[in-house]
Amino acid sequence: MRQVVWSVIFLAAGLALIRGWRTSSQTIATVDPWIYALLLYIAASVVWSPEPYISFKRAVQVWGVFLVALAVGTEGFSPGQTPRLLRSVVTLLMLLSLILVVVTPGWAITEKGWRGIMQTKNQFGQIAFLSFVLWLYALRVGGPPRYVSWLLIVGSVIVLALTRSYTSIAAFLVVVGLGIAGHARWLVTRSWGATVLAAVLATLTILHFAGVVAGYPSLNDVANSFFDLIGRDVTLAGRTYLWELMWQQFLQHPWLGLGYGGFWIGFEGPSGLIAYKVGWGYPGQAHNGYLDILNELGIVGSALVIGVLSRHALRIFKLFAIDRDAALFHLVILGGALALNVAEASFLRITHPWWIVVMLSIMEVGYLVARIAIAAQGNGIGRSAPGTPVAGPMKRASP
């Protein structure tokens, strides 16, 4: 059923691009060539995959997500368009999850944490984390009433805590850190902000001198104390052993990889042997997206992924020159996705929600930065076509 639904979505995206070709072609023209190189490499890896049929199906799905991201920008992108779209979808998922918590708590609440309508608590944690980011952006740029934004921001943080998804909580802390860094200059200009920063620096200085006098604890001691505090063991629930096994898999085909989507195919083959060794069921992923990419796409494919993400980051910094709020939102999305990918595979994870979010972010930033270049050149492309990148100030999508 899931495959049928996504097939319909991919088909609809393709038809939308064809029907709106006059304007969608302009959006396609702004796509980073590194993305095409990565997608073509994924398609080519079907040739050397041990499971070519499965790899082919999964490669088609990755291309399908790319088409969906393009279709969203059929009429072009404007600042705030992607977060506005995502906000509607994510808020609906949050509301449905809370309804399920009330109606059928036996399903929605597990002994490990809340999972709402999602299959696992980690998935629900990622949705709650994304909800926090989206409503924080809404509060920043305006649109919905401020009390609504605050209510949903606080609600998202509470739900995130109740999921007990430590990966998502870690990503949340990364986002908070990025937000503080992005507003450091603003904080310094406020009397209370300068006081807070001074207090933080003073505290760090005192801790440093205390460490010099009493001796700094070892990294192992710090790690054990931290994981004891959050109720986890230092092996991250067995993930570290799984990572060791996956690294050994990668070393068997380091350059080209095994082939996209050709490893995690069930209890048969190498993935079944991994499941047997870890002893806690079928993982279905390396629980580290970077290891999964290395294993399936090798050093060559990983270099392409790094190229795509690095160029996306550079475009985000270019966007700061014209729309700081939009740029900070996309930087937070990228930072959050990078953090989540450490313990839960999300990059190139077929139709994983966070991979879709990252693709939408890449498409929007690429389009907006292209507008900056066009404005600098003093000319436009297809001035009369709606949604076409043209010179002049960008208007934010209505909330």
Side-chain angles (χ1 to χ4, degrees):
M1 183 61 184
R2 181 172 174 270
Q3 291 183 347
V4 173
V5 171
W6 278 108
S7 297
V8 172
I9 293 174
F10 296 155
L11 180 61
L15 291 175
L17 290 171
I18 294 172
R19 291 184 61 185
W21 181 252
R22 185 182 176 189
T23 52
S24 62
S25 60
Q26 305 296 338
T27 302
I28 293 172
T30 66
V31 176
D32 190 339
W34 280 73
I35 295 177
Y36 290 121
L38 175 61
L39 293 175
L40 288 172
Y41 182 79
I42 287 173
S45 72
V46 173
V47 175
W48 60 81
S49 170
E51 299 290 338
Y53 177 65
I54 294 176
S55 292
F56 174 76
K57 289 196 303 181
R58 293 176 177 176
V60 168
Q61 289 178 310
V62 170
W63 275 87
V65 170
F66 171 65
L67 289 180
V68 169
L70 282 177
V72 171
T74 299
E75 296 293 328
F77 288 95
S78 57
Q81 178 176 333
T82 293
R84 182 167 59 91
L85 171 65
L86 292 173
R87 194 168 68 228
S88 301
V89 176
V90 170
T91 302
L92 177 61
L93 290 176
M94 291 286 286
L95 290 175
L96 291 176
S97 293
L98 293 177
I99 291 172
L100 201 62
V101 165
V102 175
V103 176
T104 57
W107 161 263
I109 302 176
T110 70
E111 60 182 14
K112 294 182 178 181
W114 286 22
R115 65 178 176 182
I117 64 171
M118 312 305 289
Q119 291 183 333
T120 67
K121 70 183 184 70
N122 287 332
Q123 292 175 348
F124 192 30
Q126 292 168 18
I127 293 297
F129 165 55
L130 182 56
S131 176
F132 164 79
V133 173
L134 292 168
W135 281 104
L136 189 63
Y137 176 75
L139 179 68
R140 172 76 179 176
V141 301
R146 291 180 64 84
Y147 73 88
V148 173
S149 297
W150 274 116
L151 178 64
L152 290 167
I153 288 170
V154 173
S156 298
V157 174
I158 293 173
V159 169
L160 176 60
L162 291 172
T163 66
R164 294 168 61 188
S165 173
Y166 297 109
T167 302
S168 299
I169 292 172
F172 165 78
L173 295 176
V174 169
V175 163
V176 171
L178 285 173
I180 293 173
H183 290 82
R185 186 175 178 182
W186 178 84
L187 284 172
V188 172
T189 61
R190 300 295 190 275
S191 57
W192 61 268
T195 302
V196 169
L197 290 176
V200 170
L201 290 175
T203 301
L204 291 176
T205 302
I206 293 171
L207 289 175
H208 170 66
F209 281 111
V212 171
V213 174
Y216 281 105
S218 67
L219 290 176
N220 188 54
D221 290 337
V222 173
N224 284 324
S225 298
F226 172 75
F227 289 113
D228 286 341
L229 179 65
I230 64 175
R232 303 294 290 268
D233 62 89
V234 75
T235 68
L236 295 175
R239 282 183 172 89
T240 53
Y241 180 50
L242 174 60
W243 294 346
E244 292 175 10
L245 296 174
M246 292 304 299
W247 181 255
Q248 295 302 318
Q249 286 293 323
F250 157 68
L251 293 178
Q252 296 179 26
H253 34 71
W255 289 103
L256 298 181
L258 185 70
Y260 178 74
F263 184 78
W264 295 107
I265 58 173
F267 284 99
E268 298 180 0
S271 61
L273 182 60
I274 294 288
Y276 173 77
K277 288 183 176 180
V278 296
W280 40 266
Y282 179 65
Q285 56 164 298
H287 285 280
N288 181 301
Y290 305 109
L291 278 176
D292 270 331
I293 292 172
L294 274 171
N295 183 46
E296 296 187 353
L297 299 181
I299 294 174
V300 175
S302 298
L304 290 173
V305 173
I306 291 172
V308 168
L309 297 178
S310 298
R311 288 173 64 84
H312 178 46
L314 288 174
R315 287 182 167 188
I316 290 174
F317 286 116
K318 288 181 180 179
L319 187 59
F320 268 101
I322 192 168
D323 192 324
R324 183 179 180 81
D325 290 332
L328 188 57
F329 167 78
H330 290 289
L331 181 62
V332 163
I333 287 295
L334 178 59
L338 289 171
L340 283 173
N341 204 49
V342 172
E344 293 291 333
S346 58
F347 287 155
L348 293 174
R349 186 77 176 163
I350 312 179
T351 54
H352 191 286
W354 268 90
W355 176 241
I356 297 174
V357 170
V358 170
M359 282 301 299
L360 285 170
S361 176
I362 290 174
M363 294 298 106
E364 180 171 304
V365 171
Y367 182 89
L368 297 178
V369 170
R371 290 189 63 177
I372 297 173
I374 292 168
Q377 294 172 359
N379 57 22
I381 304 174
R383 295 178 186 272
S384 61
T388 303
V390 295
M394 294 186 293
K395 294 182 179 180
R396 191 179 302 280
S398 58

